[in-house]
């Protein structure tokens, strides 16, 4: 809906259980924002919502889990068909902490 | 790209390492060459787009240039005469070595903290533009643009042409500040005309630049994302003028204060730095763009923020000088051509100095903060915590503040907050930010993240 030119949705991937349309060359973050979802991560300490800030891979605020791998910058990751993208909670690796589940 | 082309034309074999998936950098960021969505369809979003397209085509088709895109340099060291990079390419670690290097790592938006700047929907102008140029996506529907600097205009222009509603466009510095720089301005008419063209397009979309205002606070709605911002008039030193505050609804606010040079690789290689005209650390270079280390040249924003034209000029000089160094000849450029390039560089540098002076960030911004305001976004360190580190624990510079409260020690490695934290530590200590502080903030032995798995699977011999 925010597309500049008429959408040419070529494939979809999944974010937070929703199917997200995207086309080649778009970043994961751009495709998600384009569908109106804005929260990509919960911060590690205060668990506050975060999203794209710098948009060019500098700030590390748009970290998401992609196909099980945490700490992926959604603004740099290229959208690909069938990706499973999840909102990152905490460090994305909390299960590895001593005493973690 | 201009350095690669000049070096190749000077007879060198060149390998161009680009971290992004496609050539063009931030300035000529574009979608893949895919019909209407590609570079060819985005002419309206790009200034000097033909020049960029031509340059990129020359680089890609030059027989002596090998282009590596999507390659992240995560470590840079120099042993004897050899620069050794550890890089990640498609998640695989490998080593790339060279004896001669032209470094052109560019810059990213300079940001200042303000209450609520961590809320989803608060972005940098560069980020908003990257979504548009790189992915053809509007960051939001109702957008406020603020901060200071000429870069706000092309961002607003692209958004307006692409159908976003620009609710407001503010520059903290007054346009009257151009008054003292008219001579320099008249020497750079094409740049002024760019500005005039942007303002005219914006006026056609009923967007008018208001100067002397700043976004001082962002508010989240019930879903935790941006709902509105507070805007206020500020004086010349950026102090709030009481009674001028108002609330504006928007779903995105983009705030930028010029640019910060990306010095991570330069710092890893130990290149000498100095304070640039806008107060940030920059790589020191001589007349031929040579750095403090022989065989290493630097060009573009890392030698002083000056925009695309200055970067192209510097790149051409650096690339040619690097090719000459390789062939151990003194100077292959004809004297006239070199003088012409250097004259152009001087003119463009004077313009860059004027821009830095006109759009300077004044210390008054610190007065917009409260003790609860986040300073370091990664480690979620508030101003109150940072003040505690300064006044109770005795931090006198960024380094000690980092050790006491972890400001600037998160995932971004201080790229976003360190210049602000340096300013806060200096002001609270009643001193001034030092070059040493700026340089040490860029110490990042691991330049971009790499997992232990990638490290173990890669080319481990070279470590």
């Amino acid at each position: 809906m925010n597309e500049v030119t008429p959408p040419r949705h070529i494939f979809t991937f999944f974010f937070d259980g929703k199917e997200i349309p995207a086309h080649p060359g778009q970043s994961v973050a751009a495709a998600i924002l384009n569908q109106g979802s804005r929260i990509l991560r919960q911060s590690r300490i205060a668990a506050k919502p975060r999203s794209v800030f710098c948009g060019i891979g500098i700030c590390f605020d748009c970290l998401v889990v992609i196909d099980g791998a945490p700490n992926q910058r959604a603004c740099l990751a290229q959208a690909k068909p069938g990706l499973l993208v999840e909102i990152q909670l905490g460090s994305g690796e909390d299960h590895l902490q001593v005493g973690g589940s | 790209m201009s350095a690669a082309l000049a070096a190749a034309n000077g007879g060198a074999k060149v390998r161009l390492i680009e971290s992004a998936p496609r050539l063009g950098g931030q300035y000529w960021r574009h979608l893949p060459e895919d019909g209407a969505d590609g570079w060819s369809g985005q002419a309206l979003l790009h200034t000097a787009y033909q020049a960029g397209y031509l340059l990129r085509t020359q680089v890609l088709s030059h027989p002596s240039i090998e282009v590596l895109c999507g390659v992240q340099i995560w470590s840079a060291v120099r042993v004897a005469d050899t620069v050794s990079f550890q890089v990640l390419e498609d998640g695989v670690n490998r080593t790339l070595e060279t004896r001669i290097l032209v470094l052109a790592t560019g810059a990213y938006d300079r940001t200042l903290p303000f209450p609520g700047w961590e809320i989803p929907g608060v972005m940098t102008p560069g980020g908003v533009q990257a979504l548009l140029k790189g992915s053809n996506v509007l960051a939001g529907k109702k957008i406020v643009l603020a901060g200071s600097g000429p870069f706000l205009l092309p961002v607003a222009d692209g958004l307006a042409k692409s159908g976003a509603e620009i609710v407001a466009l503010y520059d903290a510095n007054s346009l009257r500040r151009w008054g003292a720089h008219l001579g320099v301005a008249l020497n750079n008419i094409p740049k002024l005309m760019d500005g005039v063209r942007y303002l005219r397009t914006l006026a056609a979309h009923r967007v008018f630049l208001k100067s002397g205002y700043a976004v001082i606070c962002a508010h989240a709605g019930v879903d935790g994302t941006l709902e509105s911002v507070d805007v206020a008039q500020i004086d010349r030193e950026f102090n709030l003028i009481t009674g001028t505050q108002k609330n504006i609804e928007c779903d995105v606010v983009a705030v930028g204060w010029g640019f910060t040079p990306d010095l991570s690789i330069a710092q890893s290689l130990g290149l000498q730095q100095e304070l640039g005209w806008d107060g940030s650390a920059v790589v020191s270079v001589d007349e031929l763009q040579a750095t403090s280390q022989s065989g290493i040249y630097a060009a573009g924003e890392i030698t002083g923020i000056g925009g695309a034209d200055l970067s192209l000029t510097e790149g051409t000089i650096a690339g040619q000088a690097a090719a000459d160094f390789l062939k151990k000849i003194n100077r292959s450029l004809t004297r006239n051509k070199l003088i012409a390039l250097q004259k152009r560089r001087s003119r463009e540098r004077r313009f860059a100095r004027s821009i830095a002076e006109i759009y300077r960030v004044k210390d008054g911004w610190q007065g917009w903060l409260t003790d609860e305001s986040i300073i370091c976004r990664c480690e979620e360190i508030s101003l109150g915590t940072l003040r505690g580190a300064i006044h109770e624990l005795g931090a006198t510079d960024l380094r000690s503040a980092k050790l006491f409260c972890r400001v600037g020690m998160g995932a971004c490695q201080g790229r976003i907050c360190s210049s602000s934290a340096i300013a806060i530590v200096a002001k609270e200590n009643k001193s001034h930010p030092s070059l040493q502080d700026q340089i040490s903030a860029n110490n990042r032995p691991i330049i971009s993240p790499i997992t232990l798995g990638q490290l173990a699977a890669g080319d481990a011999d070279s470590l």
Side-chain angles (χ1 to χ4, degrees):
Chain A
M1 62 196 153
N2 285 342
E3 290 276 349
V4 174
T5 51
R8 306 189 324 95
H9 296 141
I10 291 175
F11 58 80
T12 62
F13 65 91
F14 296 92
F15 171 67
D16 197 21
K18 288 184 294 250
E19 210 169 349
I20 305 285
H23 52 83
Q26 277 191 325
S27 68
V28 165
I32 293 171
L33 290 180
N34 198 37
Q35 285 310 105
S37 296
R38 304 227 275 162
I39 298 170
L40 299 180
R41 177 173 85 95
Q42 266 184 16
S43 68
R44 284 183 301 124
I45 297 155
K48 289 285 175 62
R50 294 289 179 91
S51 189
V52 180
F53 178 63
C54 80
I56 59 169
I58 299 290
C59 78
F60 292 77
D61 236 337
C62 63
L63 298 178
V64 291
V65 181
I66 300 180
D67 287 342
N71 296 314
Q72 305 299 308
R73 284 169 278 181
C75 70
L76 294 188
Q78 300 282 293
K80 286 183 192 135
L83 288 182
L84 279 177
V85 183
E86 299 161 76
I87 292 178
Q88 178 161 318
L89 306 175
S91 67
E93 295 172 324
D94 288 352
H95 60 289
L96 298 177
Q97 277 179 12
V98 177
S101 54
Chain B
M1 288 197 287
S2 68
L5 194 62
N9 286 338
K13 275 191 71 180
V14 179
R15 183 182 262 167
L16 193 163
I17 307 176
E18 165 62 58
S19 64
R22 298 178 282 282
L23 283 180
Q26 308 298 348
Y27 189 64
W28 286 309
R29 183 188 281 272
H30 62 289
L31 274 167
E33 283 70 33
D34 175 19
D37 283 343
W39 192 309
S40 53
Q42 288 178 302
L44 87 165
L45 299 178
H46 291 272
T47 4
Y49 125 94
Q50 280 107 338
Y53 190 76
L54 180 67
L55 180 58
R56 159 249 182 224
T57 307
Q58 284 174 311
V59 167
L60 286 176
S61 61
H62 202 293
S64 304
I65 303 177
E66 179 196 3
V67 176
L68 302 176
C69 283
V71 174
Q72 305 274 336
I73 295 174
W74 65 268
S75 161
V77 290
R78 189 174 204 197
V79 180
D81 281 347
T82 304
V83 173
S84 176
F85 291 129
Q86 297 292 318
V87 305
L88 274 180
E89 189 176 9
D90 292 329
V92 179
N93 183 38
R94 61 187 273 217
T95 307
L96 293 173
E97 291 185 331
T98 182
R99 281 167 186 276
I100 302 170
L101 173 68
V102 179
L103 201 56
T105 45
Y108 51 89
D109 291 271
R110 181 192 288 196
T111 53
L112 295 177
F114 59 94
W117 73 312
E118 68 281 6
I119 294 168
V122 180
M123 294 183 66
T124 64
V128 168
Q129 196 189 49
L131 285 173
L132 193 55
K133 282 181 176 178
S135 289
N136 229 10
V137 166
L138 287 173
K141 290 182 197 136
K142 293 181 73 173
I143 303 178
V144 171
L145 282 158
S148 193
F151 179 57
L152 295 174
L153 297 181
V155 175
D157 175 88
L159 288 171
K161 284 177 184 161
S162 306
E165 182 192 344
I166 298 175
V167 191
L169 168 60
Y170 299 111
D171 197 302
N173 282 300
S174 166
L175 278 176
R176 279 196 292 272
R177 294 171 62 83
W178 275 95
H181 301 268
L182 284 180
V184 174
L186 291 174
N187 259 323
N188 290 272
I189 295 288
K191 289 212 165 92
L192 287 193
M193 291 315 293
D194 280 347
V196 169
R197 212 167 36 243
Y198 292 139
L199 289 171
R200 282 223 305 255
T201 313
L202 289 168
H205 288 89
R206 307 196 160 281
V207 178
F208 302 97
L209 174 70
K210 273 181 96 169
S211 56
Y213 286 81
V215 166
I216 55 162
C217 186
H219 302 284
V222 280
D223 66 349
T225 68
L226 185 68
E227 191 174 66
S228 68
V229 292
D230 292 337
V231 178
Q233 216 172 339
I234 53 173
D235 69 15
R236 259 190 242 174
E237 295 305 315
F238 287 16
N239 299 305
L240 293 181
I241 298 176
T242 46
T244 60
Q245 196 165 324
K246 58 177 178 179
N247 185 264
I248 299 179
E249 263 183 51
C250 59
D251 61 359
V252 165
V253 63
V255 192
W257 302 93
F259 296 93
T260 301
D262 189 344
L263 294 183
S264 304
I265 296 175
Q267 170 75 3
S268 281
L269 293 172
L271 304 182
Q272 191 184 314
Q273 294 163 43
E274 61 194 48
L275 274 183
W277 41 74
D278 64 349
S280 41
V282 299
V283 177
S284 306
V285 288
D286 71 5
E287 281 299 295
L288 291 171
Q289 302 293 133
T291 68
S292 57
Q293 294 192 25
S294 100
I296 302 184
Y297 299 80
E301 308 293 32
I302 58 171
T303 68
I305 298 298
D309 292 338
L310 175 58
S311 299
L312 290 169
T313 308
E314 291 185 352
T316 304
I317 296 172
Q320 186 66 51
D324 291 350
F325 181 86
L326 170 73
K327 292 185 289 181
K328 297 188 171 55
I329 54 175
N330 202 6
R331 191 181 292 159
S332 64
L333 273 182
T334 63
R335 199 175 154 70
N336 283 344
K337 197 171 171 204
L338 181 67
I339 289 171
L341 279 169
Q342 288 176 336
K343 266 175 101 166
R344 191 162 88 200
R345 182 180 58 189
S346 301
R347 176 172 55 78
E348 289 164 346
R349 279 186 183 162
R350 277 197 299 277
F351 190 73
R353 275 174 204 278
S354 286
I355 294 284
E357 191 46 50
I358 293 164
Y359 297 101
R360 191 167 294 286
V361 176
K362 321 297 190 325
D363 259 353
W365 64 267
Q366 294 192 28
W368 315 343
L369 300 169
T370 67
D371 268 349
E372 290 72 43
S373 309
I374 297 283
I375 304 299
C376 169
R377 300 168 63 94
C378 301
E379 294 295 306
E380 300 171 64
I381 306 298
S382 67
L383 178 64
T385 305
L386 177 56
R387 277 186 178 147
I390 297 164
H391 297 300
E392 286 159 36
L393 302 173
T396 53
D397 58 5
L398 180 67
R399 203 180 130 75
S400 46
K402 275 164 98 166
L403 296 175
F404 289 143
C405 74
R406 294 195 58 80
V407 67
M409 286 181 80
C412 90
Q413 289 287 287
R415 285 170 170 92
I416 299 295
C417 75
S418 63
S419 64
S420 309
I422 287 169
I424 292 168
V425 174
K427 196 172 178 207
E428 298 281 329
N429 276 297
K430 298 186 170 50
S431 64
H432 293 283
S434 71
L435 174 63
Q436 198 45 53
D437 250 7
Q438 301 272 11
I439 292 175
S440 77
N442 287 319
N443 254 333
R444 302 180 186 106
I446 294 175
I447 295 161
S448 69
I450 176 167
T451 65
L452 288 173
Q454 288 165 335
L455 200 52
D459 168 9
D461 284 358
S462 54
L463 287 178

